């Protein structure tokens, strides 16, 4: 289907249909249905081409109410896209899986993809902070008339929301709800337009004949577009780690809302490691993609919308995966969420053998396949995952038929009230059980051989690859040696109120900082040089395990809190920071190198409400020999830092000279 033809179809469906305002009746929620396969868009002849039209649709979301699960209609932003098989339009959560391939050497170029992003949403507030207060709230201007914010989590004073409004400064607030863009999380591609470009503001289309009357300065280097924008990612380089990645909207100020609406989808990049693994199992290895989401219609801090929504898997409540006795499957988890209630431990039950094979879409080195360093050593069947993380496992079913629960438990610090709701939610999922099932693993009866033959049943994958057959890491995933580290980058994630006092969960006066400052789109906070490596020392002085995420290049985790890892280190692109206090911060040590791509991108907290509210930094990778320049992205993968191809780098943001966040907030 050509883009033009598709647009005709899309616009045709937008015409108001008869009975359009009839109330949506949702079908009953069936808990424990077989895990569904998310629709896929697959690259053909080296290219994946599609259109994502962002629209408001009424979608049915499972919501727990007492012991009941009720399909509840919600108005949600969603990608409407054509199904390549039928040409029919589809939408819903999660978004469609994009499946592409990286090059297999000696080939230099893998698949490319292009997505025409069309914004069909109604107009929004643009560059104005949304109020956290219900309409009609009269906030006193005298701060002394505001309630004590530390008491707000319990006393629910209606003026508590005024603290949010008072302490927020544009652009570090919820704003521009219907402005969007795209981020390809986990990809090693150019951050420049029109590739993994998150500084875009794609606003709703203007009415016909109306010109953009935008009085706001286009932020330096940032593109403001109306109605549609063509994303086009160059052919993947060999240095792209194959694996389980994902995509989601990343427009500062509305990231959390649009992710909570369920827009993200998986982006699976295949390559030689997958070929090897499938070959090992003789083509019998079954793969399951499990996209974790929590769907909310609003993220307004004072909107009472599903404060403890269920963690859905492919849009389902506790779906079932059916396996043959002793069968091994590859499970790809994507934590496609935005807040603490999906910072969870996944607990595999006794009888199920699990081996992690990749983290954040990067394959494990042989030593880590053997050591399994990311399972809790005290509880080796427990795996912790944060919003933004992906994890791939080989899962072996027990030999005996029956159903086992893969359970989950929220590990993040959450407000007491949310904890209560979570308890009720878990009780509704599994009455009397200590932990609620995330996924049910059903081991079917082994069929008698004759019957299997009659059905033409395929052989199933069994056993695990022996360690000595595990493939070596490719050259670009070799460890970053300490003697190659050029600079130390030091970051402190903190939460504090307007006086600079450390502030906690549920306190409406809380502001979110990195190095005592908030995100400023007009400059960058960290400048790195192409073809060099840095050590990143990241501390956390707050009681929340903010998931640190950086775009464009993965990092190696050398130390996480009190756990120092052995080389070779695991590659990740998102890591929950250990919690701490200003006196005793939690911290991690990471190493990162910057290959091939120059330009401007970001690092941020993947509790996306914190990101929208300022816990983000601008980052750029500049030319090694000229830190004032970067190069224009080159589709053929040739070096960017060459004469005639240079563009000015971004200015450096001022650093905080007064360490008090109060001073930072007033800057
Ligand atoms: Cu955070």
């Amino acid at each position: 289907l050509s883009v033009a033809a598709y647009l005709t179809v899309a616009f045709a469906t937008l015409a108001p249909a008869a009975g359009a305002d009839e109330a949506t009746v949702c079908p009953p929620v069936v808990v424990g249905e077989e895990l569904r396969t998310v629709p896929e868009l697959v690259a053909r002849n080296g290219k994946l081409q599609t259109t994502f039209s962002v629209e408001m649709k009424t979608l049915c979301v499972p919501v727990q109410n007492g012991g009941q699960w009720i399909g509840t209609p919600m108005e949600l932003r969603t990608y409407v896209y054509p199904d390549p098989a039928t040409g029919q339009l589809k939408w819903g959560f999660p978004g469609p899986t994009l499946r592409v391939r990286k090059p297999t050497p000696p080939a230099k170029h893998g698949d490319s993809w292009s997505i025409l992003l069309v914004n069909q949403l109604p107009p929004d507030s643009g560059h104005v902070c949304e109020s956290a207060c219900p309409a009609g709230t009269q906030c006193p201007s005298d701060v002394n008339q505001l309630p004590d914010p530390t008491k707000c989590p319990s006393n629910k004073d209606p003026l508590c929301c005024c603290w949010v409004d008072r302490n927020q400064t544009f652009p570090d607030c919820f704003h521009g709800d219907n402005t969007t863009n795209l981020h390809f999380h986990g990809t090693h591609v150019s951050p420049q337009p029109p590739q993994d470009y998150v500084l875009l503001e794609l606003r709703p289309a203007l009415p016909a004949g109306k010109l953009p009357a935008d009085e706001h300065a286009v932020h330096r280097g940032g593109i403001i577009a109306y109605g549609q924008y063509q994303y086009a990612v160059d052919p993947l380089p060999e240095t792209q780690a194959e694996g389980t990645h994902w995509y989601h909207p990343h427009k500062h100020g509305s990231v959390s809302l649009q992710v909570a609406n369920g827009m993200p989808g998986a982006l699976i990049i295949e390559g030689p490691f997958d070929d090897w693994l499938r070959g090992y199992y003789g083509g019998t290895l079954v793969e399951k993609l499990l996209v974790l989401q929590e769907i909310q219609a609003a993220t307004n801090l004072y909107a009472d919308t599903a404060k403890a929504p269920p963690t859905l898997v492919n849009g389902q409540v506790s779906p079932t995966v059916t396996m043959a006795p002793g069968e091994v499957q590859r499970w790809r988890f994507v934590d496609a969420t935005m807040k603490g209630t999906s910072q969870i431990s996944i607990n595999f039950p006794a009888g199920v053998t699990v081996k992690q094979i990749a983290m954040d879409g990067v394959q494990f080195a042989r030593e880590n396949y053997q050591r399994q360093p990311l399972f809790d050593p005290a509880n080796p069947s427990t795996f912790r995952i944060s919003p933004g993380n992906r994890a791939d496992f080989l899962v072996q079913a027990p030999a005996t038929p029956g159903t086992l629960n893969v359970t989950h438990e929220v590990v993040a610090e959450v407000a007491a009230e949310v904890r209560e709701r979570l308890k009720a939610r878990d009780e509704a999922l599994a009455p009397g059980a200590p932990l609620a099932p995330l996924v049910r693993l059903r081991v079917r009866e082994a069929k008698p051989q004759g019957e299997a033959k009659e059905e033409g049943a395929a052989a199933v994958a069994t056993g695990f690859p022996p360690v000595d057959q595990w493939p070596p890491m490719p050259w670009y995933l070799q460890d970053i040696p300490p003697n190659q580290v050029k600079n130390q980058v030091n970051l402190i994630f903190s939460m504090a109120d307007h006086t600079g006092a450390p502030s906690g969960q549920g306190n409406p006066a809380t502001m979110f900082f990195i190095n005592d400052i908030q995100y400023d789109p007009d400059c960058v906070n960290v400048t790195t040089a192409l073809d060099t490596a840095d050590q990143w020392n990241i501390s956390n002085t707050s009681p929340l395990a903010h998931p640190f995420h950086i775009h464009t290049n993965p990092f190696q985790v050398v130390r996480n809190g009190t756990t120092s890892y052995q080389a070779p280190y695991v590659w990740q692109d998102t890591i929950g920071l250990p919690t701490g206090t200003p006196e005793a911060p939690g911290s991690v040590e990471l190493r990162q190198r910057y290959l091939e791509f120059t330009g401007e991108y970001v690092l941020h907290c993947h509790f996306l409400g914190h990101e929208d509210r300022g816990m983000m930094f601008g980052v750029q990778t500049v030319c090694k020999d000229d830190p004032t320049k970067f190069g224009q992205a080159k589709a053929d993968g040739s070096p960017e830092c060459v004469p005639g191809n240079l563009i000015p780098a971004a200015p450096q943001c001022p650093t905080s000279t007064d360490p008090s966040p109060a001073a930072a907030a007033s800057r």
Side-chain angles (χ1 to χ4, degrees), residues 546 605 607 610 615:
H546 307 281
C605 175
F607 292 154
H610 300 179
M615 203 174 236

Side-chain angles (χ1 to χ4, degrees), residues 13 15 62 85 100 132 289 293 311 354 358 437 444 450 460 469 480 487 510-511 538 579 617 634:
T13 60
V100 296
L289 169 69
Q293 290 184 295
T311 303
V354 181
R444 62 166 167 79
V460 297
Q469 285 184 34
I480 301 165
N487 292 314
T510 301
M511 295 183 282
I538 308 176
T579 58
F617 260 11
K634 290 192 153 190

Side-chain angles (χ1 to χ4, degrees), residues 493 495 512 544-547 605-611 615:
F493 281 58
M495 290 160 56
F512 304 90
L544 298 189
H546 307 281
C605 175
H606 222 289
F607 292 154
L608 296 171
H610 300 179
E611 185 274 289
M615 203 174 236

Side-chain angles (χ1 to χ4, degrees), residues 176-494:
D177 289 357
N178 293 336
T179 302
T180 195
N181 65 21
L182 269 173
H183 169 46
F184 304 107
H185 185 136
T187 55
H188 177 61
V189 301
S190 172
Q192 295 181 32
Q195 303 197 54
D196 184 21
Y197 179 57
V198 299
L199 304 177
L200 171 76
E201 288 186 25
L202 176 61
R203 297 182 181 176
L206 293 165
K210 198 174 169 221
L211 293 170
D214 199 316
E215 72 281 18
H216 304 286
V218 175
H219 68 75
R220 187 201 41 70
I223 294 173
I224 295 178
Y226 293 83
Q228 64 177 55
Y229 183 82
Q230 179 67 63
Y231 273 93
V233 175
D234 289 339
L236 288 172
E238 189 198 347
T239 46
Q240 166 70 58
E242 70 200 78
T244 309
H245 302 293
W246 62 302
Y247 64 85
H248 64 82
H250 207 301
K251 202 282 298 174
H252 184 57
S254 60
V255 190
S256 51
L257 175 65
Q258 294 180 7
V259 169
N261 274 198
M263 291 169 76
L267 166 57
I268 295 181
I269 300 176
E270 299 188 341
F273 173 76
D274 297 314
D275 298 343
W276 170 80
L277 190 62
R278 287 183 189 139
Y280 174 81
Y281 286 105
T284 59
L285 183 67
V286 171
E287 287 191 22
K288 301 283 178 187
L289 169 69
L290 303 102
V291 181
L292 311 186
Q293 290 184 295
E294 293 184 325
I295 306 296
Q296 286 174 263
T299 49
N300 183 310
L301 301 167
Y302 288 84
D304 188 43
T305 50
K307 285 197 174 157
T311 303
L312 302 177
V313 184
N314 297 357
Q316 299 169 279
V317 182
S318 292
T320 299
V321 176
T322 300
M323 297 173 74
E327 181 184 358
V328 170
Q329 293 187 349
R330 178 182 188 165
W331 289 11
R332 299 173 181 262
F333 280 95
V334 182
D335 196 336
T337 63
M338 47 70 75
K339 64 174 190 174
T341 44
S342 43
Q343 188 168 49
I344 56 174
S345 66
I346 300 174
N347 314 298
F348 293 94
V352 174
T353 313
V354 181
K355 287 194 190 298
Q356 189 179 12
I357 59 170
M359 186 64 192
D360 287 348
V362 186
Q363 69 197 69
F364 264 13
R366 178 179 295 170
E367 292 84 343
N368 290 324
Y369 171 63
Q370 183 167 33
R371 293 194 286 249
Q372 297 287 301
L374 301 188
F375 275 97
D376 180 354
N379 200 347
S381 57
T382 293
F383 187 87
R384 189 179 165 138
I385 194 165
S386 287
N389 280 139
R390 289 86 66 213
D392 288 37
F393 303 97
L394 291 176
V395 177
Q396 184 179 45
T400 339
T403 298
L404 296 164
N405 289 336
V406 177
T407 61
H408 67 311
E409 186 176 20
V410 176
V411 293
E413 176 123 344
V414 292
E417 172 206 20
V418 175
R419 184 63 68 181
E420 281 310 303
R421 289 180 193 229
L422 288 168
K423 253 193 219 160
R425 168 187 100 169
D426 290 356
E427 183 62 22
L429 266 175
L435 292 175
L438 182 67
V439 181
R440 291 154 212 250
L441 195 167
R442 186 177 80 86
V443 185
R444 62 166 167 79
E445 296 286 336
K447 288 184 181 134
Q449 249 180 340
E451 192 186 320
K453 260 184 200 149
E454 270 169 33
E455 286 185 5
V460 297
T462 53
F464 295 99
V467 170
D468 59 5
Q469 285 184 34
W470 197 257
M473 288 296 245
W475 64 269
Y476 59 88
L477 292 175
Q478 298 297 316
D479 268 15
I480 301 165
N483 63 6
Q484 278 182 16
V485 168
K486 187 175 175 228
N487 292 314
Q488 305 280 321
V489 183
N490 301 310
L491 302 180
I492 302 172
F493 281 58
S494 68

